[in-house]
Amino acid sequence: MEFKELIEQKIREKFAGRNFSFSEFRGELTLTVDKKDIVQVCTLLKDDGDLQFKLCEDITAIDHARRTDRFTVVYHIFSLKNKFRLSVKADVDESDCSIDSVTPVWKTANWHERETFDMYGVRFKNHPDLRRMYMPEEFEYHPLRKDFPLMGIPGSLSLPKSPLNPPKGDLK
Amino acid sequence: MEKFTRDDVHPKILEALLADTELTVEDALENEMILNMGPQHPATHGVLRLLLRLDGETVMGCVPELGYLHRGYEKLAENMSFYEFIPHTDRLDYLSPMANNVAWALAVEKLLGIEAPPRAQYIRMIVTELARIASHLVAIGALAMDVGALTVFLWTLREREKILDIWDILCGARFTNSYTRIGGVANDAQPEALAKVKWFIGQYLDNLDECERLINTNRIFIERLEGVGIISGDDAVDMGLTGPSLRGSGVEFDLRRAQPYLFYDKVDFNVVTYPDGDSLARYFVRADETRESIKIISQSLDKMPQGETLLNQPKKVLPKKVEVYSKMEELIHDFMIVNFGVNPPVGEIYSAVENPKGELGFYLVSKGEGHPWKCKIRSPSMVNLQSVPRLVKGQMISDVVAIVGSLDPVMGEADK
């Protein structure tokens, strides 16, 4: 049996009656699931003896700039045993902009999820340390959202306090 | 000078740093101490900032802070055509720009559904492997310098200089090459460039042995690295390590072998692994990998066919200038591509290659426009850095330098 069919079969067995779909583009298999199932699906994909998606390569989000299901969180996982890459996707609506964290499944998800939160503002529930990855902690916006202008927002990045750059009005 | 207090540190950073300690300020000697390392520090390989919690000289906790070189390349990529982003890939991992160029070209070609001519692919393989040698040479030299052996750095950089000379002949630039194009390479490899590659691979192994003789039996070098920063194979996979850092833990994972791209399935080479998982093993993997690269280059030189180096598909690939000036169709498509870009079909791809630092992946989402709707850069340096807190825990301050050096991060790539 082809490995792709094996994945489909395993998911069908375990997630009968739930929403999921498979699609393929340029030979890459994508599995789309509901966001409430994401941790269960990832646990199955990692721990199943035949699948063994042990390496989580990347987690990111797409901002579709649409009214419903504005964001899609995308997971790229790789099976070292079968040398196969799978994308897992879950839609996230802007009104409840959060999804369960997969850090219990893959430790490496920690920084990927921090980066996704920093860039898109998608919050990851049960994340151990959800800070911003690149932007300063005081920054109010999420720069990779489509409504953030390319030129940035003037005044949104404050210069750090330093002896050479004292706060205004405090010069002696 | 104004004094800094704990109020100046953001509370969330402080909270992460002090997760399992009770820090008091009454008696300084009885307490653990917070040491700020970087972002301006010669041994952190760029603007990496590490906050270390110390008990004496032992590291109890570490919080890396990234973002000091964040230029927002992913945002920039969404606002420019696929061609315009090629020079930006040079600035990601600036020690191996050629390899990044190839990675980007392969990603866009996968999205477009085209493939470069065989000669172009062999040239790409040669430059990728040369970039790998150049990058590993800097890594080896810098690691040796971090632990106190200065000469090695000078000798490995002398070798790297020869590679930069090859790139000078090949594409006119020594550092920011931008040599690949979508559907091929900018120009065919000149006979002088190929002759120089042949000369380089002929003399390289002796020179590498010379460099290795300086440190491989050096007791200070060995003792600074052996058993420092150990990570087991399973943990390394769990932490997402890729590249030499993963293979130093005994995991035989190399995208050139696991998912062959270009013509890596047609050349013979070994995937180097060392079982120990310490900093010394990571160093050995890098040194041996350059030997494998030499094998790949010499086979590629033998197998390289004659022929075109740019795909002739004017609707998707910028045609050559001489054809633009002499043919009507080519002129029209050149105008269309320059003004509106190549319009790939709606879809998304993840294309990953084995870069010197690890797995460099580009995730491209196309909505049928001339510029990507989204471009995510999966940079190996950033993911590898994530394991620093785990590796340095319980080690000495001086080992932090060795561990960061053995992971070989490049901040241009880690911060994007």
Side-chain angles (χ1 to χ4, degrees), chain A residues 75-102:
Chain A
Y75 304 77
H76 294 286
I77 53 179
F78 194 84
S79 171
L80 297 179
K81 188 182 159 213
N82 301 295
K83 308 202 185 324
F84 187 84
R85 182 176 291 115
L86 177 72
S87 324
V88 183
K89 281 181 171 180
D91 284 343
V92 175
D93 198 73
E94 203 183 359
S95 58
D96 176 24
C97 203
S98 64
I99 188 168
D100 288 327
S101 167
V102 294

Side-chain angles (χ1 to χ4, degrees), chain A residues 26 28 57-58 60-61 63-64 85 89 108 110 115 120 131 134 137 143 145-146 148 161, chain B residues 8 10 65 75 78 110-111 238-239 259 345 348 350 359 367 373-374 376 378 386 414 416:
Chain A
R26 302 261 187 251
E28 287 185 0
E57 290 177 318
D58 192 20
T60 186
D63 181 0
H64 293 289
R85 182 176 291 115
K89 281 181 171 180
T108 181
N110 188 330
E115 192 194 343
Y120 289 95
R131 284 180 290 127
Y134 294 130
E137 207 59 57
R145 286 190 173 192
K146 288 285 175 185
F148 187 85
K161 197 174 137 195
Chain B
D8 294 320
H10 193 275
E65 278 280 303
K75 186 82 179 172
E78 288 173 10
K110 189 172 177 187
L111 185 61
D238 202 24
M239 292 302 292
Q259 286 200 323
E348 52 212 54
Y350 180 84
E359 176 188 330
K367 299 230 167 175
W373 180 261
K374 177 195 168 59
K376 164 79 203 246
R378 190 262 188 217
Q386 190 178 181
K416 295 183 239 188

Side-chain angles (χ1 to χ4, degrees), chain A residues 25-26 28 46 54-65 74 76 78 80 83-85 89 105-112 114-115 119-120 129-131 133-135 137-138 143-146 148-150 161-163 166-167, chain B residues 1-2 4 8 10 12-13 16 63-67 70 74-76 78-79 110-113 237-242 251 253 255 258-259 345-350 352 359 363 365 367 373-374 376 378 382-383 385-386 414-416:
Chain A
F25 180 72
R26 302 261 187 251
E28 287 185 0
K46 188 195 171 192
K54 298 253 185 221
L55 179 64
C56 174
E57 290 177 318
D58 192 20
I59 297 173
T60 186
I62 312 169
D63 181 0
H64 293 289
V74 190
H76 294 286
F78 194 84
L80 297 179
K83 308 202 185 324
F84 187 84
R85 182 176 291 115
K89 281 181 171 180
V105 188
W106 299 286
K107 282 206 189 83
T108 181
N110 188 330
W111 278 22
H112 291 302
R114 276 179 61 190
E115 192 194 343
M119 293 294 145
Y120 289 95
D129 179 25
L130 195 64
R131 284 180 290 127
M133 188 77 226
Y134 294 130
M135 305 306 289
E137 207 59 57
E138 297 82 11
L144 275 182
R145 286 190 173 192
K146 288 285 175 185
F148 187 85
L150 177 64
K161 197 174 137 195
S162 91
Chain B
M1 287 271 280
E2 194 178 341
F4 282 78
D8 294 320
H10 193 275
K12 281 191 177 169
I13 295 176
V63 176
E65 278 280 303
L66 274 73
H70 182 62
E74 290 166 351
K75 186 82 179 172
L76 286 171
E78 288 173 10
N79 291 280
K110 189 172 177 187
L111 185 61
L112 284 168
V237 173
D238 202 24
M239 292 302 292
L241 282 179
T242 45
V251 182
F253 172 58
L255 280 169
Q259 286 200 323
V346 178
E348 52 212 54
I349 55 106
Y350 180 84
E359 176 188 330
Y363 177 54
V365 179
K367 299 230 167 175
W373 180 261
K374 177 195 168 59
K376 164 79 203 246
R378 190 262 188 217
M382 175 230 179
V383 187
L385 276 175
Q386 190 178 181
D415 284 351
K416 295 183 239 188

Side-chain angles (χ1 to χ4, degrees), chain B residues 93-101 123 126-135 160-177 179 187 190 193 196-197 356:
Chain B
D93 176 0
Y94 42 72
L95 294 177
S96 60
M98 280 290 198
N100 303 340
N101 293 161
I123 293 174
I126 292 170
V127 295
T128 309
E129 294 309 319
L130 282 173
R132 192 181 315 278
I133 295 172
S135 172
R160 175 174 173 261
E161 193 66 21
K162 295 168 188 167
I163 297 176
L164 297 189
D165 286 343
I166 293 170
W167 288 347
D168 194 357
I169 305 172
L170 199 61
C171 64
R174 287 160 56 82
F175 220 72
T176 47
N177 308 103
Y179 177 56
N187 52 274
Q190 305 85 341
K196 186 132 191 186
V197 173

Side-chain angles (χ1 to χ4, degrees), chain B residues 181-416:
Chain B
R181 295 288 179 272
I182 291 152
V185 291
N187 52 274
D188 195 359
Q190 305 85 341
E192 311 90 78
L194 293 178
K196 186 132 191 186
V197 173
K198 272 198 191 111
W199 168 77
F200 175 79
I201 60 173
Q203 51 90 60
Y204 173 74
L205 292 175
D206 289 340
N207 288 332
L208 180 67
D209 289 344
E210 206 177 23
C211 295
E212 284 194 324
R213 272 202 295 278
L214 282 175
I215 42 177
N216 275 14
T217 51
N218 184 326
R219 203 171 145 188
I220 301 171
F221 182 77
I222 301 285
E223 285 185 3
R224 283 293 302 277
L225 297 176
E226 199 170 20
V228 168
I230 299 178
I231 186 161
S232 71
D234 289 343
D235 286 344
V237 173
D238 202 24
M239 292 302 292
L241 282 179
T242 45
S245 310
L246 178 64
R247 292 191 284 274
S249 296
V251 182
E252 197 182 328
F253 172 58
D254 189 324
L255 280 169
R256 288 175 292 174
R257 182 57 59 75
Q259 286 200 323
Y261 51 96
L262 297 175
F263 288 132
Y264 280 112
D265 48 349
K266 291 190 181 161
V267 291
D268 176 38
F269 67 101
N270 299 321
V271 177
V272 183
T273 56
Y274 275 81
D276 300 340
D278 56 358
S279 301
L280 193 63
R282 293 191 275 274
Y283 153 71
F284 281 138
V285 170
R286 288 208 174 80
D288 284 357
E289 251 180 33
T290 60
R291 294 197 170 85
E292 299 300 321
S293 294
I294 292 289
K295 274 197 217 165
I296 296 174
I297 294 171
S298 73
Q299 290 173 55
S300 305
L301 283 172
D302 292 341
K303 290 187 177 175
M304 193 161 70
Q306 293 296 323
E308 284 293 314
T309 53
L310 195 64
L311 193 67
N312 187 14
Q313 271 204 25
K315 284 191 179 178
K316 287 173 177 168
V317 176
L318 270 181
K320 284 186 175 155
K321 266 283 169 291
V322 64
E323 287 172 359
V324 175
Y325 290 137
S326 57
K327 291 177 184 166
M328 192 63 210
E329 281 294 305
E330 272 77 357
L331 177 65
I332 294 169
H333 292 304
D334 184 77
F335 179 81
M336 294 299 279
I337 290 177
V338 169
N339 279 284
F340 306 108
V342 277
N343 297 2
V346 178
E348 52 212 54
I349 55 106
Y350 180 84
S351 160
V353 300
E354 185 74 26
N355 245 30
K357 309 286 185 289
E359 176 188 330
L360 175 68
F362 285 107
Y363 177 54
L364 294 173
V365 179
S366 163
K367 299 230 167 175
E369 292 159 341
H371 48 85
W373 180 261
K374 177 195 168 59
C375 160
K376 164 79 203 246
I377 304 160
R378 190 262 188 217
S379 57
S381 297
M382 175 230 179
V383 187
N384 288 357
L385 276 175
Q386 190 178 181
S387 57
V388 166
R390 206 203 129 89
L391 292 173
V392 301
K393 197 159 193 174
Q395 306 280 351
M396 299 288 172
I397 303 178
S398 57
D399 296 336
V400 174
V401 173
I403 288 167
V404 172
S406 76
L407 285 176
D408 186 27
V410 165
M411 294 315 287
E413 184 179 57
D415 284 351
K416 295 183 239 188

